[in-house]
Amino acid sequence: ILDEILPKWDRILDVFQTVFAEDESYLCMEQDEIQSVGKRLHNMAAKICWRTHGQHADGTKGDEEGGETNNDECYTMLHGDPKAANFFYNRKRKRTTQAAVAGNNETGVSEVGVGMIDFQWTGVGKPSTDIAYFLAASASGRVLDNDMEPLDDTRNRETGESGYGVGELQCLRHYHTCLMQALVENNVVPTIQDGEIQLPYTTFQRQFQESMADLFRTVVTDKWSTVTPELLEGREGAMAY
């Protein structure tokens, strides 16, 4: 699949050349950046695959060349195909403690039940992999209309915090906060601080961006093998890559 990245991206450039030339906001990149996407993705794809899945592009496992180990401590059970169509929600109101004591039927706190289907790709993986796949497959373009920040420790000048308030990274920060709270509520860790030691936000963010890049590798070589501007226009608003 690595050998297919360059020719598949060249095909996309050819088919979308008019769109890219007329609307630079289409990919939120300059023309020279668009032209070099295939080469840059090809250069990083093998390492990103290894860091995301713990194996090399040919399916073998082992340390990266140069002796680097894939040693992030946190792994979890992943759904594997977390698009919106595989999630179902049921919102209901429950009686508050005060209402129960008073013997009335007034409702208070809202509860949301979540159901999931389609577990054929379930397995163990990095915690933010499912989040990356979910946002890419299901989130509105209005959520994802800002550039992702680089994998280094670039800071947001206004907040002093990496990525906060920037498109998909704002969603990621919110999810990480909720995750830390859930770990405490379910007695996995005693405090939020302990949870952040176990899975720091910076690690979570890096895993997310690596997963996004790895997913894009798959999209370019498979999902978009026959994509055209007309096809994307027809799919606008659909829950698909």
Side-chain angles (χ1 to χ4, degrees), residues 79-103:
H79 178 279
D81 189 16
K83 58 189 177 186
N86 288 334
F87 289 77
F88 298 86
Y89 303 91
N90 178 29
R91 184 181 294 276
K92 59 183 179 180
R93 308 286 290 183
K94 70 175 183 179
R95 296 173 68 192
T96 63
T97 302
Q98 293 84 351
V101 172

Side-chain angles (χ1 to χ4, degrees), residues 8 22-23 38 61 74 105 129 156 186 199 209 211 218 237-238:
K8 290 293 179 64
E22 293 178 351
D23 184 5
K61 297 185 177 182
C74 289
N105 293 320
T129 301
N156 184 296
N186 290 278
L199 182 58
Q209 292 180 315
S211 296
T218 304

Side-chain angles (χ1 to χ4, degrees), residues 85-158:
N86 288 334
F87 289 77
F88 298 86
Y89 303 91
N90 178 29
R91 184 181 294 276
K92 59 183 179 180
R93 308 286 290 183
K94 70 175 183 179
R95 296 173 68 192
T96 63
T97 302
Q98 293 84 351
V101 172
N104 61 50
N105 293 320
E106 294 180 4
T107 58
V109 180
S110 176
E111 288 187 330
V112 178
V114 181
M116 294 178 286
I117 62 172
D118 194 2
F119 287 87
Q120 64 175 330
W121 298 108
T122 295
V124 176
K126 303 288 183 66
S128 52
T129 301
D130 267 355
I131 309 305
Y133 288 18
F134 176 78
L135 289 178
S138 306
S140 165
R142 290 189 296 271
V143 176
L144 307 177
D145 62 357
N146 290 295
D147 289 336
M148 292 174 61
E149 292 189 4
L151 295 180
D152 59 20
D153 197 31
T154 301
R155 298 285 167 172
N156 184 296
R157 293 182 179 180
E158 294 182 0

Side-chain angles (χ1 to χ4, degrees), residues 46-104:
K47 184 170 184 177
I48 291 297
C49 177
W50 173 76
R51 291 197 59 87
T52 303
H53 303 289
Q55 63 184 28
H56 300 291
D58 61 3
T60 61
K61 297 185 177 182
D63 292 347
E64 240 292 84
E65 293 182 7
E68 182 182 351
T69 59
N70 193 14
N71 195 32
D72 290 317
E73 294 183 1
C74 289
Y75 286 83
T76 188
M77 184 65 69
L78 301 177
H79 178 279
D81 189 16
K83 58 189 177 186
N86 288 334
F87 289 77
F88 298 86
Y89 303 91
N90 178 29
R91 184 181 294 276
K92 59 183 179 180
R93 308 286 290 183
K94 70 175 183 179
R95 296 173 68 192
T96 63
T97 302
Q98 293 84 351
V101 172
N104 61 50

Side-chain angles (χ1 to χ4, degrees), residues 13-33:
L13 287 176
D14 182 57
V15 174
F16 282 80
Q17 59 179 329
T18 301
V19 176
F20 292 161
E22 293 178 351
D23 184 5
E24 289 190 355
S25 67
Y26 198 85
L27 288 182
C28 298
M29 289 188 286
E30 301 292 339
Q31 287 298 322
D32 58 337
E33 293 178 313

